[in-house]
Amino acid sequence: MNAVTIVIASMCILAIAYRLYGTFMMVKVLKVNDDKPTPAHVLEDGKDYVPTNKWVSFGHHFAAIAAAGPLVGPILAAQFGYLPGLLWLLIGAVIGGAVHDIVVLFASMRKNGKSLSEVAKDELGPVAGFCTGLSMLFIITITMAGLSMVVLHALERNPWGTFAVGITIPIAMGVGLFYKKTGNLKLASTIGFLFLMAGVFSGPWVQTTALGDFLTLDTKTLAIALPVYAFFAAALPVWLLLAPRDYLSSFMKIGVFIALIVGVFVVNPSIPFPAFTEFVKGGGPVLEGPVWPFISITIACGAISGFHAFVGSGTTPKMLNKWSDMKPVAFGAMLVECLVGIMALIAATALQPADYFAINSTPEVFRTLGMNVVHLPELSREIGLDLEGRTGGAVTLAVGMTYIFTGMPFFSHLASYFFQFVIMFEAVFILTAIDAGTRVARYLIQDFFGEVYKPLKKTDWIPGSVFASALACLMWGYLLYSGDIGSIWALFGVSNQLMASVGLIIGATIVLKIADKRRYILTCLIPLAYLYVTVNYAGYWMVRHVYLNPEAAGYSVLNGVLSIIMLVLGFIIIVAAVKKWAQMWKDPNLRMEASIPG
């Protein structure tokens, strides 16, 4: 099997799905047309509700949903071989993820852009709405810890990478200040991009100075530094740090993604990984559990992700110019993210299996596998960094891409620069999701505690903002400091997919209410049934075998309690939904509600 064959076949499948299934969802299931104005027009305020060109909306939505998940998840899941991850990415994205994203966006737009918890309250009642809101707070907290863990292992003992990432903070703030003062976006962008490149290329000099020694950090130090950064990103004005970081990271994201696709087509690397490895039944060095349910837990973004519901019921429903724009913005962006996940899987499986496991498992565990590395010593020399034992996925992606590009003469002498650029790309992009997610967590905390102390609900009240930001960082920072990538990523996967189940529950309720034929509810029920069973079994497995098992490496009573709470909340929500569906199924007056867009 070679990489080009996989990429071409995947792109054809995704294109056909977009053309046929996407149209079916829009026309037959949701009955979308453009006769009535969208919330962006009805509530236009020039700030939040702004009618936006569909391709600009697509860019915003895609940048918001495509964080670390489609990069890291497929790399960790490569432990099982290339085929389980590839099949789940394609099937999950078409049958589950694209449907989830479009029905959540549709549900929010029908309610004038309300959040998913508000939609759940309107459709399923106050208890389900409260449980959905509480689930969202849990999930966003765990998500931040999971994403931060990836950055942790990418930057540990890596002064070049730490400097290149750290320098982006003052650069972003400088760009924000310069643009606010001059209004010249083109010049601000050019200056910011040049400084970013200077940060990467000055890495070798930094490593030889005292600054390099200072920036050689261990995981515990980084686990404190990241929440501190996120606190300032969440508490400071959005234009000063968060927005310019989002903007600058988009340059690297687009450039690296295009470079990887071009590199695969030019080099056409073979895939030395087997379709299935010996670890499909569990006990692997990267993930402890069996291929099912953990293939669908490890690979979330790229196949189906509850984190998308935060975006699909947040900023995006307030931006769409026409109802028909939902197809490219929601359905289309999910399929493009699937392609990103497939490219990450190729980068991991293009490595020799022994090299992959040497990177993604601790040296102690790797010695028990009876494997001998092939190209890793050579890659370590070319990159100038010890690559063994750098778990988390980020380093594997950078090494895999570097390995592919060293097949081209131009990149054969630039391996270290290319590797560090990819590390900076991943870290900056993930940090963008972390600071934005922490800001969302801050809003959720203010909303929840604001029911007890009313001033907290005012997002412009500085003491309230500081308190909520600090509490959000403290919660996910503690998980980060005390966890490891195996336990945290599994906890993130379970919580994230539980959120996706909630999104499909809301979607199924809306479809049953407005669709001409009741059987169309199967578009949501089929992925929901699979995902709900998968999430609950994975949660049970982790609680029993890892979190509450004193002999397990990931033993954590806190993670076990969090898992149980989330599964209980999910159960309450689905019970409320089933009761609602039964009422709607029996009473035609509760169905066939006039669809807002048609």
Side-chain angles (χ1 to χ4, degrees):
M1 179 66 70
N2 60 62
V4 171
T5 301
I6 294 175
V7 173
I8 292 176
S10 300
M11 291 175 71
C12 290
I13 292 170
L14 296 175
I16 293 170
Y18 177 79
R19 177 67 180 85
L20 299 181
Y21 198 39
T23 301
F24 171 76
M25 287 297 301
M26 291 285 289
V27 176
K28 295 293 186 180
V29 178
L30 302 179
K31 300 188 300 180
V32 168
N33 63 57
D34 294 322
D35 290 345
K36 293 187 178 181
T38 63
H41 287 281
V42 175
L43 302 174
E44 184 174 0
D45 59 6
K47 181 182 178 183
D48 296 316
Y49 292 85
V50 181
T52 308
N53 177 276
K54 68 178 179 181
W55 298 118
V56 176
S57 298
F58 171 90
H60 158 78
H61 187 81
F62 178 70
I65 66 173
L71 301 177
V72 175
I75 288 172
L76 298 179
Q79 168 186 277
F80 301 122
Y82 72 81
L83 192 57
L86 180 62
L87 290 177
W88 169 240
L89 280 164
L90 291 171
I91 296 172
V94 174
I95 304 299
V99 171
H100 168 274
D101 288 11
I102 200 169
V103 295
V104 166
L105 179 58
F106 179 79
S108 179
M109 290 178 68
R110 290 179 74 254
K111 300 294 182 179
N112 288 326
K114 286 184 178 180
S115 69
L116 197 63
S117 61
E118 292 296 317
V119 175
K121 183 188 297 184
D122 291 345
E123 297 293 342
L124 302 177
V127 174
F130 174 80
C131 289
T132 301
L134 191 57
S135 298
M136 292 173 73
L137 182 57
F138 273 110
I139 289 163
I140 196 69
T141 300
I142 295 167
T143 298
M144 296 305 99
L147 296 179
S148 299
M149 186 66 69
V150 179
V151 179
L152 221 64
H153 290 283
L155 299 184
E156 63 172 324
R157 307 187 313 277
N158 182 5
W160 185 347
T162 302
F163 174 77
V165 172
I167 199 68
T168 63
I169 297 173
I171 290 173
M173 296 179 72
V175 168
L177 289 168
F178 182 81
Y179 175 64
K180 188 172 181 65
K181 184 175 181 179
T182 65
N184 192 330
L185 180 61
K186 187 176 295 185
L187 181 58
S189 304
T190 302
I191 294 174
F193 183 74
L194 291 176
F195 273 112
L196 288 178
M197 293 301 97
V200 174
F201 282 93
S202 59
W205 171 80
V206 170
Q207 289 189 130
T208 63
T209 66
L211 181 59
D213 296 332
F214 177 75
L215 293 176
T216 303
L217 306 176
D218 58 19
T219 54
K220 294 302 183 183
T221 304
L222 286 166
I224 295 173
L226 289 177
V228 170
Y229 157 73
F231 167 77
F232 287 103
L236 289 173
V238 68
W239 59 266
L240 181 58
L241 179 55
L242 191 147
R245 279 187 69 93
D246 282 359
Y247 181 69
L248 290 174
S249 70
S250 64
F251 288 103
M252 289 181 286
K253 179 181 179 182
I254 294 170
V256 171
F257 180 55
I258 292 174
L260 181 55
I261 293 179
V262 172
V264 166
F265 274 91
V266 172
V267 180
N268 191 18
S270 61
I271 304 295
F273 254 72
F276 299 95
T277 69
E278 60 185 291
F279 304 112
V280 293
K281 295 182 180 180
V286 182
L287 303 168
E288 295 186 12
V291 65
W292 186 84
F294 286 98
I295 191 68
S296 301
I297 296 300
T298 305
I299 301 179
C301 300
I304 180 171
S305 170
F307 186 70
H308 295 188
F310 289 94
V311 183
S313 63
T315 53
T316 303
K318 302 175 179 65
M319 297 170 60
L320 294 198
N321 184 46
K322 297 187 296 185
W323 289 90
S324 58
D325 291 349
M326 288 194 305
K327 183 181 176 183
V329 170
F331 205 93
M334 180 65 244
L335 298 185
V336 174
E337 187 179 18
C338 173
L339 184 60
V340 174
I342 291 171
M343 300 306 298
L345 181 65
I346 288 173
T349 54
L351 295 171
Q352 291 292 328
D355 293 347
Y356 165 85
F357 286 112
I359 299 172
N360 276 287
S361 55
T362 63
E364 296 78 16
V365 172
F366 180 72
R367 283 194 290 268
T368 67
L369 301 180
M371 296 180 175
N372 296 313
V373 294
V374 182
H375 301 299
L376 196 60
E378 179 185 351
L379 286 167
S380 294
R381 285 195 302 272
E382 292 177 351
I383 291 171
L385 196 67
D386 181 13
L387 299 174
E388 292 189 19
R390 291 184 175 271
T391 59
V395 171
T396 306
L397 176 62
V399 172
M401 292 180 65
T402 302
Y403 177 68
I404 291 173
F405 276 92
T406 50
M408 301 173 65
F410 178 72
F411 287 108
S412 61
H413 302 294
L414 296 174
S416 59
Y417 292 96
F418 193 80
F419 173 87
Q420 294 295 352
F421 178 77
V422 176
I423 288 293
M424 185 177 74
F425 148 73
E426 293 177 286
V428 171
F429 193 66
I430 294 169
L431 286 175
T432 299
I434 290 170
D435 52 32
T438 303
R439 205 174 190 93
V440 171
R442 166 196 148 193
Y443 293 149
L444 289 172
I445 289 171
Q446 288 186 260
D447 193 44
F448 260 79
F449 286 89
E451 296 295 331
V452 179
Y453 187 61
K454 295 299 182 183
L456 272 176
K457 277 189 173 290
K458 296 187 293 184
T459 57
D460 58 349
W461 186 48
I462 294 178
S465 299
V466 171
F467 165 76
S469 299
L471 183 58
C473 294
L474 182 65
M475 289 191 301
W476 67 256
Y478 176 78
L479 290 176
L480 176 66
Y481 190 84
S482 60
D484 61 76
I485 187 63
S487 61
I488 290 293
W489 195 262
L491 182 64
F492 158 65
V494 169
S495 63
N496 190 46
Q497 300 303 55
L498 180 63
M499 190 73 237
S501 299
V502 173
L504 288 170
I505 289 171
I506 303 300
T509 307
I510 298 298
V511 170
L512 184 60
K513 179 177 287 189
I514 69 169
D516 293 326
K517 299 177 181 178
R518 288 184 293 183
R519 67 172 179 267
Y520 287 162
I521 194 177
L522 292 175
T523 58
C524 293
L525 285 188
I526 290 175
L528 172 61
Y530 172 79
L531 202 61
Y532 189 74
V533 171
T534 299
V535 164
N536 280 271
Y537 181 68
Y540 161 78
W541 196 97
M542 289 298 296
V543 169
R544 179 181 177 184
H545 294 282
V546 180
Y547 297 143
L548 299 185
N549 179 8
E551 298 180 359
Y555 172 69
S556 170
V557 174
L558 176 61
N559 288 357
V561 171
L562 288 175
S563 298
I564 293 170
I565 290 174
M566 288 187 299
L567 294 178
V568 170
L569 290 173
F571 180 75
I572 294 172
I573 295 168
I574 202 165
V575 167
V578 170
K579 289 182 178 179
K580 180 74 172 184
W581 297 341
Q583 295 173 354
M584 294 169 64
W585 199 272
K586 294 177 182 178
D587 188 354
N589 293 324
L590 296 177
R591 300 196 313 271
M592 300 307 297
E593 177 184 298
S595 173
I596 293 291

